[in-house]
Amino acid sequence: MSFFTVDGISLQFGGLKAVDDVSFSVSKGEIFTIIGPNGAGKTSIFNLISRLYNPTSGRLSFEDSDITEVPPHQIAKLGIARTFQNIELFENASMLANLLVGRHCHATTALWQDMLFMPSVRRAEKAHRRKVEEVIEFLDLQAYRDKIIAGLPYGVRKVIEVARALCSEPKLILLDEPSSGLNVEETDDMSFWIRDIRSELGITVLMVEHDMSLVNRVSDRVLALNYGKVLASGTPSEVQAHPDVIAAYLGA
Amino acid sequence: MRFIFKTDYDQDIRILKHSGYWWSYGILLAVMVATPYVLGSYMQSQLVFVFIYAIVGVALMILTGFTGQASLGHAAFLAIGAYTAGFMQSLGVPFIVYFPLAAVLTGVVGALVGFPALRLHGIYLVIATIAFAFIVEEVLARWESVTHGNEGMRVRTLDLFDIPIPRDSDAFYFLCLLVLVGVSVLALNLLRSPTGRAFIAIRDSETAGKSMGIDLAAYKVKSFAISAAITGMAGVLFAHKMTFISPEMFTLLLSIEFIMVIIIGGAFGVHGAIFGAIFIVMVDPFLTALKDDVPVLVSSIASSLGMAKETATDLRDDLSRIGSAAGLKGAIYGLIIMMFILFEPYGLYGRWLKVKLFFQLFPLYKRATFKRQKTYVKSERNR
Ligand SMILES: Nc1ncnc2c1ncn2[C@@H]1O[C@H](COP(=O)(O)OP(=O)(O)O)[C@@H](O)[C@H]1O
Ligand SMILES: [Mg+2]
């Protein structure tokens, strides 16, 4: 079995098939990109993987275990972290607090210990903070450590969301349109970071992306989606040359 | 102004961030300890109410301010704590046992109330908590063997290790202060630990919280239970302070007063709960004074300006009729809540922080410092 497999998954909203019998698998250490026009069902696939939606049919498996029925809050602990297309940060908290929430799946202390702030809690807090500092360093976010999210620029928040996902020390990270809303330089930075996430941290990347130049620069394999169905998959150039993909993008 | 250079993780984790705070809180504590020996018994008694309201304020701050779950049922939690104390005491159970027991019992009830919160949001949750409070009120009125129904229940003097602590004694004042400080420390501990951050995550984005590994159900129930348990403790103190409890003391209006504590004080910190409690407890004698004095004052001014004696007396009577109209208090509370939500959403504590920053940055303070920056998400731009 491979690292991460989606097997014939479908999702129906009323009469709309948002995801229609999609299958693909991602190997360890790969950067795998899903492309497709708006409304193709890309975000829905991510929501299925993070178990926010229940599939109508099909299976998901991660590291040889079936995760189709795992409750959503246990996905992070298994090693799958994600970002959101429209940024879901904790707006009224500092960046540090946001990143520390990313460590939540590694929290081991009980409620009463937290309430009394026992020495074990202090020790764990320090360990969490050390990890968070590594991520801050990695993504160059030092300037925003104590800033409240609500006041930060869009581009910075986008990076903070990636940082929060990294703080959970995932094996697989899902990035939903990491470059949307970013300017050219920010997109460049993002493409370097995505490659570093794979090469330096050894994390497998599954992303949804619209910016084709970014897709071409970082992806190993690409899957094209339209109306919830797979159109083509393969290397970036193969997929872009596929007649169905060209037709879907030109709206023909 | 002071710049704080952080050199180790403890600096972030500590409750008092730098040495200056040790001084200011030390002085505050000293003042609070000296107070009974300086202030008159009336003010001391008012301060006890401030402490009790502040304890409930801290409880609501955890639930509403940090977890984002509104409640208009906290008067019922207070009632459960109060009646547990009254009933247990009548059975001869010592304070040292029924105080924690009241907290645990109220906490369990709070956890049960938390279950609907797993599915209800916003106004629907508020309605559910109001419904819960009505049920409790009804039970208190009907369960006469325990609560003595609408006749109410006498609560005997608090007895700690055979030392009586009457409601007006210095010892009672210190007991309430001690509970407030203890509860505040527990709350601050929670907020700097994973549990508190999970609460904040639930408040700001349930979706993201879930994906970060937070079990929403478990943490909402925990938040309700903690908040209720703390309110139950306040209820025990309340019962002993009042010496008499009856169902009509724990109405919706009391729950609204509790909500006001955090709206007025600011729901994002323990300070807010205390500021709000001071405001609420002190606004009552102020309103009473207003009711008694304003009509007399207005009519005497009117008659000195040449108004006929009868018209002036009529005016005075009219005004005092308005002043003592039923529901006026509720209306004034409503107005105050609205004003705060519109003009000072961060409450008195937020205002205090702004004033402090103004002096720290003087003369560089910008009015826009606390303005939220405009941001847009891509989907909005594309529309
Ligand atoms: N919660 C939902 N309820 C109903 N329809 C939805 C929901 N989420 C997504 N959809 C629909 O499913 C389709 C796929 O959406 P989405 O996965 O967000 O597309 P993409 O991310 O590829 O732009 C769209 O037609 C969208 O309107
Ligand atoms: Mg999308």
Side-chain angles (χ1 to χ4, degrees):
Chain A
M1 278 268 275
S2 66
F3 181 64
F4 176 73
T5 312
V6 173
D7 185 17
I9 207 153
S10 300
L11 175 68
Q12 191 132 3
F13 289 118
L16 174 80
K17 275 216 155 177
V19 179
D20 191 357
D21 194 22
V22 170
S23 301
F24 62 90
S25 66
V26 181
S27 329
K28 202 169 169 58
E30 197 173 26
I31 298 181
F32 190 102
T33 307
I34 301 176
I35 62 169
N38 272 326
K42 307 179 297 292
T43 301
S44 298
I45 291 182
F46 272 23
N47 287 343
L48 285 167
I49 297 173
S50 42
R51 301 285 301 105
L52 298 177
Y53 294 161
N54 284 319
T56 324
S57 62
R59 312 300 302 172
L60 299 163
S61 74
F62 179 62
E63 290 193 313
D64 297 333
S65 57
D66 190 314
I67 60 165
T68 324
E69 316 267 303
V70 173
H73 65 265
Q74 281 171 14
I75 291 293
K77 200 168 174 66
L78 292 176
I80 303 179
R82 71 170 291 180
T83 66
F84 295 84
Q85 185 171 354
N86 288 326
I87 303 191
E88 290 275 349
L89 285 168
F90 310 117
E91 289 278 317
N92 301 301
S94 67
M95 180 185 86
L96 188 65
N98 270 266
L99 300 191
L100 285 168
V101 174
R103 302 286 306 156
H104 189 87
C105 55
H106 299 284
T108 50
T109 49
L111 178 62
W112 67 271
Q113 291 173 313
D114 282 0
M115 245 193 262
L116 300 176
F117 213 76
M118 302 296 283
S120 60
V121 179
R122 185 179 294 270
R123 257 195 319 276
E125 278 298 295
K126 284 190 192 168
H128 290 325
R129 279 156 201 271
R130 257 191 296 279
K131 181 66 207 172
V132 164
E133 286 305 321
E134 278 171 36
V135 174
I136 290 178
E137 188 92 348
F138 181 75
L139 293 178
D140 254 337
L141 286 167
Q142 294 88 343
Y144 309 104
R145 188 179 285 110
D146 294 318
K147 296 272 193 307
I148 301 294
I149 300 294
L152 294 177
Y154 189 84
V156 176
R157 294 187 203 198
K158 206 86 196 174
V159 181
I160 294 177
E161 241 205 342
V162 176
R164 185 181 62 183
L166 290 179
C167 282
S168 69
E169 297 180 76
K171 296 168 198 154
L172 172 67
I173 189 170
L174 314 177
L175 304 172
D176 199 347
E177 307 206 7
S179 83
S180 73
L182 300 187
N183 63 30
V184 181
E185 296 99 88
E186 287 169 336
T187 306
D188 262 352
D189 284 345
M190 190 59 85
S191 77
F192 286 117
W193 280 323
I194 292 172
R195 272 182 288 192
D196 286 350
I197 287 172
R198 189 253 307 263
S199 58
E200 282 184 31
L201 305 179
I203 298 170
T204 308
V205 179
L206 173 57
M207 68 173 185
V208 163
E209 183 50 62
H210 269 303
D211 184 329
M212 286 315 288
S213 80
L214 174 63
V215 172
N216 289 333
R217 263 182 291 168
V218 304
S219 324
D220 299 316
R221 279 195 302 148
V222 174
L223 176 117
L225 208 64
N226 198 17
Y227 296 116
K229 285 197 182 64
V230 178
L231 290 182
S233 71
T235 65
S237 49
E238 277 167 22
V239 170
Q240 279 172 75
H242 197 285
D244 288 350
V245 176
I246 296 171
Y249 270 89
L250 295 178
Chain B
M1 89 172 272
R2 186 197 297 265
F3 287 98
I4 298 169
F5 293 101
K6 292 187 183 159
T7 49
D8 71 45
Y9 296 125
D10 268 329
Q11 248 166 317
D12 261 344
I13 295 172
R14 270 198 281 272
I15 288 183
L16 299 178
K17 298 285 183 242
H18 60 81
S19 57
Y21 284 127
W22 279 104
W23 281 103
S24 35
Y25 285 101
I27 291 170
L28 180 64
L29 195 66
V31 168
M32 294 323 285
V33 168
T35 299
Y37 308 104
V38 181
L39 282 186
S41 64
Y42 173 72
M43 280 312 284
Q44 187 181 333
S45 179
Q46 288 299 97
L47 272 179
V48 168
F49 280 111
V50 169
F51 296 157
I52 293 174
Y53 272 67
I55 295 168
V56 182
V58 171
L60 261 181
M61 180 205 71
I62 292 173
L63 182 67
T64 307
F66 285 93
T67 322
Q69 312 296 308
S71 161
L72 270 179
H74 268 55
F77 294 132
L78 192 81
I80 293 171
Y83 272 92
T84 309
F87 181 66
M88 290 282 162
Q89 196 195 29
S90 72
L91 295 182
V93 178
F95 175 81
I96 202 78
V97 174
Y98 69 71
F99 183 68
L101 203 67
V104 170
L105 183 70
T106 321
V108 170
V109 175
L112 294 178
V113 176
F115 278 103
L118 309 181
R119 296 182 163 269
L120 300 177
H121 289 260
I123 188 74
Y124 300 103
L125 180 59
V126 172
I127 292 170
T129 56
I130 293 177
F132 156 73
F134 280 136
I135 293 170
V136 170
E137 225 183 298
E138 202 61 20
V139 169
L140 293 180
R142 299 286 170 85
W143 195 4
E144 296 189 356
S145 58
V146 171
T147 66
H148 302 282
N150 282 320
E151 269 173 39
M153 188 180 200
R154 262 208 174 279
V155 182
R156 274 182 285 126
T157 302
L158 198 163
D159 188 289
L160 189 62
F161 303 119
D162 289 329
I163 305 164
I165 302 183
R167 54 185 285 206
D168 290 324
S169 63
D170 292 348
F172 193 78
Y173 169 96
F174 287 125
L175 178 68
C176 293
L177 181 61
L178 187 73
V179 174
L180 174 59
V181 172
V183 160
S184 304
V185 170
L186 286 188
L188 290 170
N189 279 344
L190 266 188
L191 294 177
R192 57 185 174 151
S193 68
T195 307
R197 286 193 298 267
F199 289 167
I200 291 173
I202 292 174
R203 176 192 69 193
D204 283 358
S205 168
E206 291 197 356
T207 314
K210 233 189 299 190
S211 305
M212 295 284 96
I214 294 166
D215 184 350
L216 297 188
Y219 279 94
K220 280 187 186 174
V221 168
K222 277 182 195 173
S223 182
F224 263 96
I226 295 168
S227 182
I230 293 175
T231 312
M233 289 188 221
V236 176
L237 299 175
F238 184 77
H240 283 298
K241 180 65 187 165
M242 302 307 283
T243 64
F244 173 78
I245 47 178
S246 69
E248 74 258 26
M249 294 163 79
F250 305 97
T251 55
L252 185 60
L253 191 64
L254 187 63
S255 292
I256 293 176
E257 284 186 13
F258 292 151
I259 283 284
M260 283 179 73
V261 167
I262 58 165
I263 288 178
I264 291 172
F268 60 97
V270 171
H271 297 77
I274 292 165
F275 282 144
I278 295 173
F279 185 93
I280 283 288
V281 173
M282 296 306 171
V283 86
D284 213 33
F286 181 72
L287 286 181
T288 315
L290 220 59
K291 197 166 69 187
D292 297 343
D293 300 344
V294 165
V296 180
L297 195 70
V298 169
S299 72
S300 66
I301 290 175
S303 63
S304 72
L305 289 177
M307 190 185 263
K309 193 135 194 256
E310 289 93 75
T311 348
T313 323
D314 281 351
L315 182 66
R316 191 193 66 204
D317 292 345
D318 284 347
L319 282 176
S320 60
R321 241 196 316 282
I322 295 174
S324 49
L328 180 72
K329 195 166 154 188
I332 292 178
Y333 281 1
L335 204 66
I336 296 175
I337 293 182
M338 257 156 44
M339 297 301 238
F340 266 93
I341 289 177
L342 285 177
F343 300 115
E344 199 65 87
Y346 293 111
L348 291 175
Y349 182 48
R351 170 54 53 189
W352 160 247
L353 288 183
K354 286 174 201 172
V355 170
K356 204 162 88 171
L357 192 70
F358 176 83
F359 284 107
Q360 280 175 347
L361 293 181
F362 188 82
L364 299 173
Y365 183 82
K366 294 183 302 210
R367 292 199 69 174
T369 310
F370 280 85
K371 277 244 170 65
R372 209 176 143 151
Q373 275 184 27
K374 275 227 172 70
T375 51
Y376 58 87
V377 292
K378 195 182 178 196
S379 55
E380 280 172 10
R381 197 177 44 163
N382 283 346
R383 240 174 241 151

